[in-house]
């Protein structure tokens, strides 16, 4: 499912480290990687030349640090608005996954500071792995999926099972949060789901692929609970579905209502203490 990865680098953050960790997983080892650095427009030709040279060095350093087979990696240095260029390149190469660093800015801050990662997620329909600057990237063995009956959650389940294929000691954690309108929190409860329930079908699929699985449940506000579960269960990677409710005519516009509103994916992106892979509904 993941054969082509777009890694957007800025010279800061943990995106390269995240890719190196992913490349240790058997399912990702044969994936082709395109490393992209975008040079924003400058006011003078001299400044543009300096930025272009700096961008070349950032790309060279990133590729050197990745230490990949040369046949598996290519690089692109391009001028333009980073958030637009990342989306364009992802379309051009038909990327299966976009990896970017993130400062973990909250919604309004993201808009005011022109957050590249937030806008790329809003504008792209492709799975996107965000790595905040302040987290520790660990070897991926325990993968958590926030599961419900949505198509986006089903997509995340498929991605998680793909990633865990062949991982020794790997575990899939299926987390279901019951919304408690009273705001009361519950502890983490291990559950054995009914065979024909959403969780039961997910467990059956995991077992079919010989992936160890654990089902947990809690109650409270979904965003807060998902982040709490991921932290308390020491999860290495969190997968969260984000249904795309924008009409096709508005695909080229940022959905400000979702940016400013109480978006679950946005809350988790900002507050999770592990890398977060956000996936849209399967087209």
């Amino acid at each position: 499912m993941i054969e082509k990865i777009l890694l957007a680098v800025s010279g800061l953050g943990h995106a390269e480290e995240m890719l190196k960790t992913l490349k240790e997983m058997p399912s990702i080892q044969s994936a082709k990687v395109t490393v992209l650095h975008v040079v924003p427009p400058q006011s003078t030709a001299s400044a543009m030349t300096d930025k272009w040279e700096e961008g070349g060095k950032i790309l060279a350093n990133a590729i050197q640090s990745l230490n990949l087979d040369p046949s598996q990696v290519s690089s692109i240095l391009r001028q333009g608005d980073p958030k637009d260029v990342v989306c364009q390149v992802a379309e051009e190469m038909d990327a299966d996954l976009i990896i970017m660093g993130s400062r973990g800015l909250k919604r309004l801050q993201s808009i005011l500071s022109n957050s590249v990662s937030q806008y790329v997620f809003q504008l792209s329909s492709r799975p996107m792995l965000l790595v905040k600057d302040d987290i520790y990237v660990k070897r991926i063995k325990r993968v958590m999926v926030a599961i419900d009956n949505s198509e986006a959650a089903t997509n995340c389940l498929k991605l998680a099972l793909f990633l865990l294929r062949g991982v020794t000691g790997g575990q899939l954690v299926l987390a279901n949060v019951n919304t408690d309108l009273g705001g009361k929190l519950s502890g983490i409860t291990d559950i054995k789901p009914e065979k024909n329930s959403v969780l039961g079908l997910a467990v059956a699929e995991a077992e079919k692929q010989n992936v160890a699985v654990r089902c947990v449940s809690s109650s409270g506000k979904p965003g807060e609970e998902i982040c709490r579960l991921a932290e308390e269960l020491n999860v290495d990677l969190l997968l969260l579905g984000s249904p795309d409710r924008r009409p096709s005519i508005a695909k080229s516009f940022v959905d400000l209502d979702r940016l400013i509103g109480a978006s679950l994916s946005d809350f988790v992106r900002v507050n999770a203490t592990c890398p977060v892979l956000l996936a849209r509904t399967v087209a």
Side-chain angles (χ1 to χ4, degrees):
M1 291 178 69
I2 298 178
E3 297 178 346
K4 289 178 279 188
I5 298 173
L6 175 60
L7 174 68
V9 298
S10 62
L12 303 169
H14 301 312
E16 296 96 319
E17 191 178 348
M18 186 75 244
L19 178 63
K20 288 168 71 174
T21 299
L22 275 181
K23 272 292 192 176
E24 295 176 0
M25 306 181 79
S27 60
I28 302 293
Q29 286 175 1
S30 62
K32 304 285 186 181
V33 177
T34 299
V35 184
L36 169 69
H37 178 72
V38 184
V39 179
Q42 302 297 311
S43 56
T44 66
S46 175
M48 192 69 236
T49 299
D50 291 342
K51 279 291 183 183
W52 200 258
E53 290 179 357
E54 180 186 336
K57 291 176 182 177
I58 289 172
L59 269 183
N61 290 337
I63 290 174
Q64 183 178 15
S65 72
L66 292 173
N67 195 29
L68 297 176
D69 182 332
S71 67
Q72 288 190 334
V73 63
S74 59
S75 62
I76 297 176
L77 182 62
R78 192 171 290 186
Q79 179 185 345
D81 186 327
K83 62 180 182 289
D84 292 331
V85 174
V86 172
C87 291
Q88 290 165 6
V89 173
E91 290 297 317
E92 290 169 10
M93 62 176 283
D94 194 20
D96 300 309
L97 178 66
I98 301 169
I99 301 177
M100 295 185 70
S102 168
R103 288 170 292 167
L105 298 176
K106 295 183 180 179
R107 288 183 289 275
L108 188 56
Q109 287 177 304
S110 293
I111 298 169
L112 296 176
S113 67
N114 203 20
S115 168
V116 176
S117 61
Q118 175 68 356
Y119 274 76
V120 169
F121 177 62
Q122 289 291 325
L123 296 174
S124 177
S125 60
R126 300 174 187 278
M128 185 171 176
L129 179 49
L130 294 173
V131 192
K132 286 197 302 180
D133 295 344
D134 60 351
I135 67 167
Y136 175 66
V137 177
K138 300 180 290 182
R139 180 171 293 180
I140 298 172
K141 286 186 175 291
R142 189 174 291 109
V143 176
M144 184 175 118
V145 175
I147 199 82
D148 56 23
N149 60 0
S150 68
E151 290 182 44
T154 300
N155 190 23
C156 284
L157 174 64
K158 291 177 181 177
L159 276 171
L161 289 174
F162 169 80
L163 289 170
L164 286 169
R165 191 179 299 165
V167 175
T168 303
Q171 182 186 51
L172 173 66
V173 178
L174 299 174
N176 183 251
V177 177
N178 299 310
T179 303
D180 186 338
L181 297 179
K184 295 179 180 178
L185 301 179
S186 72
I188 300 173
T189 306
D190 280 88
I191 56 175
K192 188 171 183 179
E194 296 179 11
K195 187 173 286 188
N196 292 323
S197 67
V198 172
L199 278 173
L201 294 172
V203 168
E205 188 61 34
E207 290 177 343
K208 190 190 306 180
Q209 298 189 33
N210 296 316
V211 174
V213 60
R214 178 183 180 184
C215 292
V216 298
S217 176
S218 70
S219 65
K221 294 181 179 178
E224 293 176 9
E225 282 301 286
I226 288 170
C227 291
R228 183 174 73 91
L229 288 169
E231 184 171 13
E232 291 192 15
L233 296 173
N234 197 26
V235 166
D236 305 316
L237 177 65
L238 168 61
L239 275 70
L240 180 68
S242 178
D244 190 350
R245 62 175 177 77
R246 290 169 296 157
S248 57
I249 195 170
K251 293 290 186 184
S252 61
F253 302 99
V254 173
D255 190 338
L256 290 179
D257 177 59
R258 286 196 61 188
L259 278 169
I260 299 172
S263 163
L264 173 62
S265 60
D266 196 56
F267 182 92
V268 172
R269 171 188 70 84
V270 170
N271 294 284
T273 55
C274 65
V276 179
L277 198 163
L278 299 164
R280 292 289 192 201
T281 303
V282 181

